[in-house]
């Protein structure tokens, strides 16, 4: 870990940071041919989505702060998820939303349950907020735990889960919300477009649910850093009370506004990715008979190998061919996570795996 300033809080000095994926794509002489390590959308969004940003740039008004309440954008989100505008707020990605959740709802000593293994950023945010994080082994056995009751202020889980791909049913989540009405459930739906029923409709009946959504995966717009939350108006009001209204750039707002309105490309991407997921799974099972594969509901597969050496060899072999995947051993032993490219970009990946010895 890099040295930390003496002026930092004692908590920050001890903090285990969230580890980012490969950044080779930004090198001048990048060797990346397929970036499959961070589950971003693999395809470029259509020009009709990004042309809106170009038109904005031509207006020569970058000197002004962004729109602090974009009612048209909120209306487009509302129509897309079939939810009232008062239940929605938008942020610079889900990661930024996590930070506002911690600031709005966590105080020193508050307890947070995280259903593990899962996306690590929320853990880092909670640690920095001096909350006590309880990691509950929930998904690491191929099936989720039967536990439904939690004695903590917040419960966080991804649904579909990252990195294992399990999906908790609406019935089970309703039971959790009812049994734990003094607990706020943070449900990260970054991958919901690829499989499963969204919990957004539960916002109408429960005050203790906050759903996180993003444009980084199915919409193929990770670069604009746009996320949004759906929750009871009282929760949204609490977040908005501390949310910096200038924090989402005008370029991001305009592209997001168009993407929600013209979302047919996203649906095609989901369909293509889900077809490719079936092909890739069958191919891997045939090529590597001893492998265990999870990830039914996201845009990724979790590959669990018999030993670490074979795992490392698999990862490095693909990297030599310009394909970056994610080593997930810190979450699940001897595992890696691979973003599934849509049908259009699958052949190169299959050919490279075929050459693996």
């Amino acid at each position: 870990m890099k040295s930390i300033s003496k002026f930092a809080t004692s908590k920050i000095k001890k903090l285990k940071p969230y580890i980012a994926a490969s950044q080779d794509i930004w090198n001048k002489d990048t060797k990346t041919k397929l970036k499959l390590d961070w589950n971003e959308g693999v395809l470029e969004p259509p020009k009709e989505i990004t042309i809106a940003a170009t038109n904005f740039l031509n207006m020569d008004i970058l000197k002004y702060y962004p729109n602090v309440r974009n009612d048209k954008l909120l209306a487009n989100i509302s129509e897309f998820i079939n939810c009232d505008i008062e239940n929605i707020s938008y942020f610079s990605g889900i990661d930024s939303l996590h930070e506002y959740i911690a600031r709005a709802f966590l105080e020193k000593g508050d307890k947070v349950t995280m259903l593990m293994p899962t996306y690590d950023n929320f853990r880092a945010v909670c640690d920095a907020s001096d909350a006590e994080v309880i990691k509950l082994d929930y998904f690491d056995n191929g099936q989720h735990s039967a536990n439904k009751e939690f004695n903590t202020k917040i419960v966080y889980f991804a649904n579909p889960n990252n990195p294992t791909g399990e999906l908790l049913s609406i019935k089970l989540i309703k039971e959790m919300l009812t049994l734990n009405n003094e607990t706020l459930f943070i449900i990260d739906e970054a991958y919901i477009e690829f499989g499963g029923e969204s919990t957004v409709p539960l916002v109408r009946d429960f005050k203790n649910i906050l759903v996180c959504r993003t444009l980084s995966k199915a919409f193929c717009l990770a670069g604009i850093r746009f996320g949004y939350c759906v929750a009871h108006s009282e929760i949204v009001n609490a977040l908005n009370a501390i949310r910096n209204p200038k924090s989402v750039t005008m370029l991001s707002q305009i592209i997001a506004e168009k993407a929600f309105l013209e979302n047919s490309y996203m649906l095609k991407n989901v369909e293509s990715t889900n077809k490719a997921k079936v092909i890739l799974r069958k191919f891997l099972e045939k090529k590597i008979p001893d492998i265990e594969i999870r990830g039914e509901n996201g845009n990724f597969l979790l590959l669990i190998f018999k030993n670490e050496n074979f795992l490392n060899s698999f990862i490095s072999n693909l990297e030599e061919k310009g394909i970056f995947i994610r080593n997930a051993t810190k979450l699940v032993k001897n595992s890696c996570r691979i973003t599934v490219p849509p049908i259009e970009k699958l052949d190169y990946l299959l050919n490279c795996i075929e050459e693996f010895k």
Side-chain angles (χ1 to χ4, degrees):
M1 182 176 175
K2 295 180 180 180
S3 60
I4 298 293
S5 167
K6 65 180 181 181
F7 300 109
T9 66
S10 58
K11 194 69 178 178
I12 295 299
K13 290 175 182 177
K14 299 176 183 177
L15 178 67
K16 175 186 173 184
Y18 166 69
I19 306 299
S22 163
Q23 296 299 294
D24 177 77
I25 193 71
W26 297 109
N27 293 338
K28 180 180 179 181
D29 299 316
T30 180
K31 62 179 180 179
T32 302
K33 293 184 179 179
L34 280 176
K35 190 177 187 301
L36 308 178
D37 55 354
W38 225 341
N39 293 346
E40 302 115 313
V42 178
L43 291 179
E44 290 296 325
K47 294 301 181 185
E48 55 263 36
I49 302 299
T50 56
I51 194 68
T54 303
N55 292 339
F56 168 75
L57 290 174
N58 290 334
M59 294 172 66
D60 295 328
I61 54 174
L62 276 179
K63 56 185 174 287
Y64 300 122
Y65 282 116
N67 187 345
V68 298
R69 180 182 167 84
N70 191 326
D71 288 323
K72 186 175 180 181
L73 172 56
L74 287 167
N76 288 359
I77 299 173
S78 172
E79 182 176 353
F80 176 69
I81 60 174
N82 189 26
C83 188
D84 292 339
I85 288 177
E86 67 176 8
N87 301 122
I88 303 165
S89 191
Y90 55 86
F91 303 83
S92 297
I94 286 180
D95 295 335
S96 175
L97 169 56
H98 286 170
E99 295 172 8
Y100 280 111
I101 290 170
R103 287 175 57 194
F105 303 114
L106 289 177
E107 298 175 302
K108 183 176 181 179
D110 282 341
K111 295 181 179 181
V112 176
T113 298
M114 294 187 65
L115 306 190
M116 302 296 291
T118 194
Y119 180 52
D120 193 49
N121 182 71
F122 193 68
R123 185 275 315 160
V125 168
C126 292
D127 278 351
S129 301
D130 237 358
E132 179 184 347
V133 177
I134 299 169
K135 299 179 180 180
L136 179 63
D137 185 359
Y138 202 87
F139 298 105
D140 198 11
N141 54 7
Q143 296 179 341
H144 62 74
S145 165
N147 193 69
K148 298 178 184 176
E149 295 189 59
F150 310 91
N151 188 28
T152 55
K153 187 172 186 180
I154 285 178
V155 171
Y156 169 90
F157 60 92
N159 203 47
N161 186 51
N162 170 23
T164 62
E166 282 96 345
L167 184 79
L168 301 188
S169 69
I170 296 296
K171 179 177 181 295
L172 174 59
I173 293 172
K174 281 184 177 180
E175 292 177 17
M176 289 179 171
L177 293 169
T178 302
L179 288 170
N180 306 272
N181 60 5
E182 295 300 316
T183 296
L184 176 60
F185 284 78
I186 311 299
I187 304 179
D188 191 331
E189 288 191 347
Y191 303 95
I192 195 64
E193 289 90 356
F194 293 97
E197 186 178 357
S198 174
T199 54
V200 164
L202 300 185
V203 168
R204 299 187 182 99
D205 301 316
F206 295 93
K207 290 186 175 183
N208 58 330
I209 178 175
L210 190 161
V211 185
C212 308
R213 302 284 291 264
T214 182
L215 297 189
S216 296
K217 314 301 182 181
F219 281 89
C220 304
L221 290 170
I224 72 168
R225 306 307 302 125
F226 188 90
Y228 60 104
C229 76
V230 190
H232 189 275
S233 59
E234 293 176 359
I235 291 177
V236 172
N237 292 342
L239 289 170
N240 285 343
I242 59 169
R243 170 182 173 270
N244 184 336
K246 306 188 298 293
S247 62
V248 181
T249 72
M250 207 60 230
L251 285 171
S252 295
Q253 290 185 43
I254 288 170
I255 294 173
E257 186 181 301
K258 190 73 171 177
F260 283 114
L261 189 64
E262 306 285 347
N263 60 65
S264 59
Y265 84 95
M266 178 274 293
L267 299 175
K268 291 177 182 177
N269 176 52
V270 167
E271 181 181 9
S272 180
T273 299
N274 284 341
K275 287 180 180 178
K277 186 165 53 180
V278 174
I279 295 171
L280 179 58
R281 175 186 285 271
K282 290 180 178 178
F283 182 85
L284 286 165
E285 289 172 341
K286 183 178 179 181
K287 174 67 178 177
I288 312 173
D290 290 336
I291 200 172
E292 179 184 352
I293 302 177
R294 302 181 197 167
E296 290 76 13
N297 298 292
N299 68 335
F300 57 85
L301 292 175
L302 182 73
L303 315 183
I304 306 173
F305 293 84
K306 290 296 184 181
N307 63 74
E308 187 176 5
N309 289 337
F310 197 74
L311 164 69
N312 292 336
S313 177
F314 183 78
I315 293 173
S316 62
N317 188 270
L318 290 179
E319 187 172 320
E320 289 172 2
K321 296 176 171 62
I323 300 176
F324 288 86
I325 63 176
R326 191 70 179 264
N327 189 325
T329 295
K330 290 184 178 180
L331 295 175
V332 178
K333 186 177 180 181
N334 296 335
S335 73
C336 62
R337 191 193 65 199
I338 181 167
T339 308
V340 178
I343 294 288
E344 299 92 316
K345 297 198 175 185
L346 185 61
D347 283 349
Y348 182 69
L349 173 62
L350 296 181
N351 290 337
C352 291
I353 294 175
E354 180 62 41
E355 295 172 0
F356 175 66
K357 304 294 184 182

